[in-house]
Amino acid sequence: MQIKKEQRNIFQITLTGYELATLISSARWIAEGAKGELTSEATNNLKQLLNNYDNATKMLHSQSPS
């Protein structure tokens, strides 16, 4: 995952197909009422996606002028 700041409130995010699929399937599950529990694989995928996001935002902030 890569995040670039294009303008003040506009960002460009580059995701792998796997990351995009994780986001979309999670959003769909929530939008459809989030009944039941996520599988352990789905939970692990989301945790990895969030970790990738956290790392990408740290990189973004380290590149921004103070």
Side-chain angles (χ1 to χ4, degrees):
M1 178 182 301
Q2 293 179 339
I3 302 174
K4 295 179 184 175
K5 189 170 185 176
E6 297 292 324
Q7 296 178 23
R8 184 173 180 215
N9 288 319
I10 298 176
F11 296 86
Q12 178 183 4
I13 300 175
T14 303
L15 302 170
T16 65
Y18 194 67
E19 290 168 327
L20 180 59
T22 298
L23 282 174
I24 297 301
S25 63
S26 299
R28 188 178 313 279
W29 181 71
I30 291 166
E32 292 176 355
K35 295 177 182 153
E37 293 186 22
L38 288 175
T39 65
S40 61
E41 181 181 6
T43 300
N44 289 335
N45 290 344
L46 281 170
K47 287 179 181 179
Q48 183 61 50
L49 180 78
L50 291 170
N51 186 49
N52 292 349
Y53 174 79
D54 291 341
N55 290 335
T57 55
K58 285 177 188 173
M59 295 275 295
L60 179 67
H61 291 298
S62 71
Q63 295 170 358
S64 298
S66 301

